[in-house]
Amino acid sequence: MDINFFFEVLIGGLLSGVMYALVAIGFVLIYKASGVFNFAQGAMVFFAALTCVGLMDKFGMSLWLAIPCTAVAMILLGIAIERVVLRPLVNQPEITLFMATIGLAFFLEGLAQLLWGSQVHQLPLPIEDVPLQSLLDRFNIVVSQFDVIAAIICGVLVAVLALLFAKTKVGRALRAVADDHQAALAVGIPLQRIWAILWAVAGVVALVAGLLWGARNGVQFALTFIALKALPVLILGGFTSVPGAIVGGLIIGASEKMAEVYIGPLVGGGIEGWFPYVLALLFLLVRPEGLFGEKIIRRI
C-alpha cells in the first residue's frame, strides 16, 4: 500500500468532514435550544448560496459586497422563521414542529429558485483548487489548497461559536434555555429572543456552508442534500453536542473516502454516497445517543 496515497485520502476525508461538521452544527444549534430538528437547514444552505450569486449576477455586486448583504438576509430570514413558524407552534408536539420544518424546506427551495432562477451557477471564491505546494514538495502528498482553507474557515467559525456559548451573557442564556425551558423563563430569560438569535446564527452558518460547498460543487439544487449527509454526523456525535458534530464530521468524512478507495473496488465502487448511513446505522445499535449525547436510561 502506498503510504503517501493513504495519507492523501485520509487528509482529504478529514477536511471534507470539517465542512460536514459545519452543516451539522446548524442542526445542533436549533435542536439543543428548542428541541426542533430543523429539516430546513439544507434548504437554508441552498437559499444562502443562491442568493449570494443572484446578487452578483442580477445586481452586479462584487463578491465582497454580496456576502455581507446575504448575511443580513440570512439573519432576517432566521428571525422571520422564528416569528412566523416556530413561535405559533410553541408547546406543540415535536412531530408538529418537525413537519413544519419540512414544509419550510420546500418553501425556501421554491422561493430561492423563484427569485434567482434554477440554473447552475459558479461561485468564484478567491481560493484555488490546486495542490498545496508545501506538502507536495516535502512529502509528495497531494492535498487541495481549497480543502485546507475551507477547513480553516470552518474551524474559525466553530471556535467563534464556542466562545460565544462559553464566554458571553447570550451564551449563558443559550445554555440555560437548552437545559430547561421552563426554568429559564422563571429566571427572566427571554426565550423567544434567544430562539430568534439561534435561528439567525443558523442562517449565518448556512451561508458559510453554502459558499464553501457552492464554490466546490456549483450552486445548484443538490446543495439541499448536504443536510442529509449531516444526519450520520449527528447520529455519531449526538444531536445536542457541538464537539460531537465536529468529531462526527471527521469520522464520517474520513470513513467515506477510505471506504470508497479501499472497499469500493471490491464491491464495484460507488459506496461513498451510502457508506456513512450504514456506519451510522451500526453505531445506533451500539450507542444510540451518540458519542457526546446524554445517555437516557429507560425503566421497563
Side-chain angles (χ1 to χ4, degrees):
M1 181 177 66
D2 187 343
I3 192 65
N4 285 353
F5 179 67
F6 171 83
F7 279 110
E8 286 178 12
V9 176
L10 178 61
I11 294 171
L14 291 173
L15 294 176
S16 294
V18 176
M19 292 201 288
Y20 290 151
L22 183 63
V23 180
I25 286 172
F27 285 96
V28 170
L29 292 175
I30 301 301
Y31 186 83
K32 186 173 177 64
S34 62
V36 178
F37 182 81
N38 181 22
F39 195 83
Q41 188 67 26
M44 291 173 69
V45 171
F46 173 60
F47 185 92
L50 193 56
T51 298
C52 186
V53 296
L55 291 174
M56 294 168 63
D57 291 346
K58 289 193 174 184
F59 295 100
M61 290 187 182
S62 67
L63 176 66
W64 304 115
L65 179 59
I67 289 176
C69 288
T70 306
V72 172
M74 294 306 296
I75 291 172
L76 295 176
L77 176 65
I79 295 173
I81 289 172
E82 188 278 328
R83 285 182 176 271
V84 177
V85 179
L86 184 63
R87 190 174 298 185
L89 296 177
V90 170
N91 297 324
Q92 295 299 313
E94 291 182 2
I95 186 62
T96 301
L97 294 167
F98 175 65
M99 294 302 294
T101 64
I102 292 178
L104 178 64
F106 285 106
F107 171 75
L108 291 178
E109 291 163 5
L111 178 62
Q113 294 177 90
L114 179 66
L115 291 174
W116 310 114
S118 58
Q119 65 271 26
V120 178
H121 297 267
Q122 295 298 318
L123 183 54
L125 291 184
I127 309 173
E128 293 183 331
D129 191 7
V130 297
L132 199 61
Q133 199 61 42
S134 58
L135 281 178
L136 185 60
D137 294 340
R138 183 173 299 182
F139 302 106
N140 196 30
I141 296 176
V142 178
V143 175
S144 171
Q145 176 179 290
F146 180 91
D147 289 346
V148 172
I149 296 177
I152 292 172
I153 293 171
C154 293
V156 169
L157 180 58
V158 170
V160 169
L161 291 174
L163 289 174
L164 172 68
F165 294 148
K167 301 296 184 181
T168 67
K169 183 177 179 180
V170 172
R172 289 191 292 272
L174 290 174
R175 296 200 304 275
V177 170
D179 289 337
D180 191 319
H181 292 175
Q182 296 303 321
L185 282 172
V187 297
I189 294 176
L191 186 61
Q192 294 175 340
R193 184 183 303 171
I194 295 301
W195 281 348
I197 292 172
L198 275 176
W199 278 90
V201 172
V204 174
V205 170
L207 169 60
V208 177
L211 291 175
L212 295 176
W213 283 105
R216 164 176 274 189
N217 300 330
V219 178
Q220 54 187 313
F221 185 77
L223 285 179
T224 59
F225 299 120
I226 292 175
L228 298 180
K229 186 59 72 74
L231 290 179
V233 174
L234 294 167
I235 290 172
L236 265 68
F239 280 79
T240 61
S241 173
V242 171
I246 299 169
V247 174
L250 294 175
I251 294 173
I252 291 298
S255 63
E256 71 173 8
K257 299 297 183 185
M258 301 293 284
E260 179 66 27
V261 171
Y262 293 106
I263 302 176
L266 303 178
V267 295
I271 72 171
E272 182 177 348
W274 55 261
F275 183 81
Y277 300 96
V278 175
L279 182 62
L281 179 61
L282 295 175
F283 196 84
L284 279 173
L285 301 176
V286 179
R287 190 176 173 86
E289 67 276 8
L291 289 170
F292 293 82
E294 297 178 0
K295 193 168 186 177
I296 300 175
I297 300 176
R298 290 187 171 88
R299 299 182 184 274
I300 300 176

